[in-house]
Amino acid sequence: MMLPTQAKQTLESALAEHGLRSTRQRECVFAVVAASMDHPTADAIYSRVRESLPGISLATVYNTLETLVSCGLVRQVNFEREPSRYCPLSEPGKHHAHFHCTRSGKVFDVHLPESFMKDLEALLPPMFRIDKVDLCISGQNRGENPSGHVEPD
Amino acid sequence: MMLPTQAKQTLESALAEHGLRSTRQRECVFAVVAASMDHPTADAIYSRVRESLPGISLATVYNTLETLVSCGLVRQVNFEREPSRYCPLSEPGKHHAHFHCTRSGKVFDVHLPESFMKDLEALLPPMFRIDKVDLCISGQNRGENPSGHVEPD
DNA sequence: ACTGATAATTGGAATTATTCCAATTTCAAG
DNA sequence: CTTGAAATTGGAATAATTCCAATTATCAGT
Ligand SMILES: [Mn+2]
Ligand SMILES: [Mn+2]
Ligand SMILES: [Zn+2]
Ligand SMILES: [Zn+2]
């Protein structure tokens, strides 16, 4: 798992902004998440990272994921009481929801247009300052391969 | 904790529809959730139910909450990895989101109009059948007491 | 390069919400 | 009543995550 130079820059500057160091472990965990389109759990990320860094500990994977989330590089996604999943956050301005197929267990990103986010904001009293929006839809994906802004099944 | 006659009817018919019996424990847990506007955890519900049924077990509270959720009478609400919370579901057609104030820890219901749900449906490919929508907003409630369709702080 | 201070990582133990299980109790029908 | 199924119970088990003290890596200043 190798990290493109540009992504490396992104990681290092985001970490630096928070007064944090770039390490082999952080680079590798970030590379794995950035390359993962399937919203893996911490355990799955641990498995994938160990192919490059066999000595990394699960604690470090958890620590690093928390760090990357707090730096705004990674998103933590929770469905019901299942283990947390993680996905890369490329553009900080863009929002996306998650569709969880209860049949296949797969997770799909669903792009949320700015207008939808505005509508949502309008539903809340103005004294509520929104920090984070988590929209999880669950159901069944029966039908052929979807196209557009939704990941293939 | 006493259950109004009408609510008792609601409970009994919902349970009967699923081939389940109405019991003292189920009545009491349902009564507590129905009367709770603060989205209590299973533990908090356990405490409140024990005032009426001191001998009830925590396992039964968990079992009953799962039963009530599967009967569509109660909603299970999850924020991040915090313990699950529960709220009553009076009208089956109405949807509501949750605002979680990270300062006070309080939870507010936010009514979602049908138009918003339609907009959401339109964002998904038609082959995705929606079973459930969980919308959780977190942020800070700074300002005076909100009014309207939002619970008081 | 060397050193000291600080940050990060590590393995394993601890935490804790929830689930599981076998035994007992309750219930409703015949 | 009797009886079989359903529900409840206490306590053990589970499992994702967090915690912790010890080790290791990194950086800044010499
Ligand atoms: Mn080691
Ligand atoms: Mn007892
Ligand atoms: Zn995603
Ligand atoms: Zn609610």
Side-chain angles (χ1 to χ4, degrees):
Chain A
M1 180 57 53
M2 197 42 205
L3 195 55
T5 322
Q6 193 198 343
K8 197 162 182 168
Q9 283 300 328
T10 304
L11 172 65
E12 283 177 2
S13 67
L15 287 170
E17 272 180 40
H18 291 251
L20 300 171
R21 298 173 179 168
S22 186
T23 65
R24 239 175 352 267
Q25 288 88 344
R26 283 170 180 171
E27 260 187 44
C28 191
V29 170
F30 178 60
V32 163
V33 175
S36 296
M37 292 292 93
D38 61 338
H39 298 80
T41 62
D43 242 20
I45 293 164
Y46 179 47
S47 294
R48 295 176 199 179
V49 168
R50 266 192 299 181
E51 292 171 15
S52 309
L53 288 181
I56 196 173
S57 74
L58 180 57
T60 296
V61 172
Y62 273 106
N63 290 340
T64 300
L65 288 170
E66 188 186 358
T67 297
L68 296 175
V69 168
S70 77
C71 288
L73 296 166
V74 166
R75 172 110 172 261
Q76 183 175 18
V77 181
N78 296 296
F79 294 112
E80 310 273 315
R81 312 231 21 104
E82 291 182 13
S84 288
R85 295 161 172 264
Y86 299 87
C87 69
L89 260 186
S90 9
E91 289 94 329
K94 275 189 192 166
H95 288 97
H96 73 268
H98 291 102
F99 183 90
H100 187 218
C101 177
T102 52
R103 191 192 300 270
S104 69
K106 291 203 175 70
V107 178
F108 303 86
D109 281 343
V110 179
H111 174 249
L112 297 179
E114 198 55 42
S115 63
F116 185 83
M117 299 305 292
K118 286 290 177 210
D119 289 350
L120 174 57
E121 250 185 89
L123 294 175
L124 297 174
M127 79 248 347
F128 285 165
R129 196 185 67 190
I130 298 179
D131 288 333
K132 191 157 54 73
V133 174
D134 278 307
L135 174 53
C136 293
I137 303 138
S138 56
Q140 315 212 165
N141 175 18
R142 46 161 175 44
E144 45 273 69
N145 210 345
S147 59
H149 50 275
V150 175
E151 299 169 7
D153 196 347
Chain B
M1 180 56 54
M2 197 41 206
L3 194 56
T5 323
Q6 193 198 343
K8 197 162 181 168
Q9 283 301 327
T10 304
L11 172 65
E12 283 177 2
S13 67
L15 287 171
E17 272 180 40
H18 292 250
L20 300 171
R21 297 173 179 168
S22 186
T23 65
R24 237 166 312 129
Q25 289 88 345
R26 284 170 177 170
E27 261 187 42
C28 192
V29 169
F30 179 60
V32 163
V33 175
S36 296
M37 291 291 94
D38 60 340
H39 298 80
T41 63
D43 242 18
I45 293 164
Y46 179 47
S47 293
R48 295 176 200 179
V49 167
R50 266 193 298 181
E51 291 171 17
S52 307
L53 287 183
I56 197 173
S57 74
L58 180 57
T60 296
V61 172
Y62 273 105
N63 291 340
T64 300
L65 288 170
E66 187 187 358
T67 297
L68 295 175
V69 168
S70 76
C71 289
L73 297 166
V74 165
R75 172 109 172 262
Q76 182 175 17
V77 181
N78 296 297
F79 294 111
E80 311 271 315
R81 315 241 8 114
E82 292 181 13
S84 288
R85 295 160 173 265
Y86 300 85
C87 70
L89 260 186
S90 9
E91 289 94 330
K94 275 190 192 165
H95 288 98
H96 73 269
H98 290 103
F99 183 91
H100 185 220
C101 177
T102 51
R103 192 192 299 273
S104 68
K106 290 204 175 71
V107 178
F108 302 87
D109 281 342
V110 179
H111 174 248
L112 297 179
E114 198 55 42
S115 63
F116 185 83
M117 299 304 291
K118 285 290 177 209
D119 289 349
L120 174 57
E121 250 184 88
L123 294 175
L124 296 174
M127 80 249 348
F128 285 150
R129 196 186 68 191
I130 299 180
D131 287 333
K132 190 158 54 73
V133 174
D134 277 308
L135 174 51
C136 293
I137 303 138
S138 57
Q140 313 212 167
N141 175 16
R142 46 151 173 52
E144 44 272 68
N145 209 345
S147 59
H149 50 275
V150 176
E151 299 169 6
D153 196 347

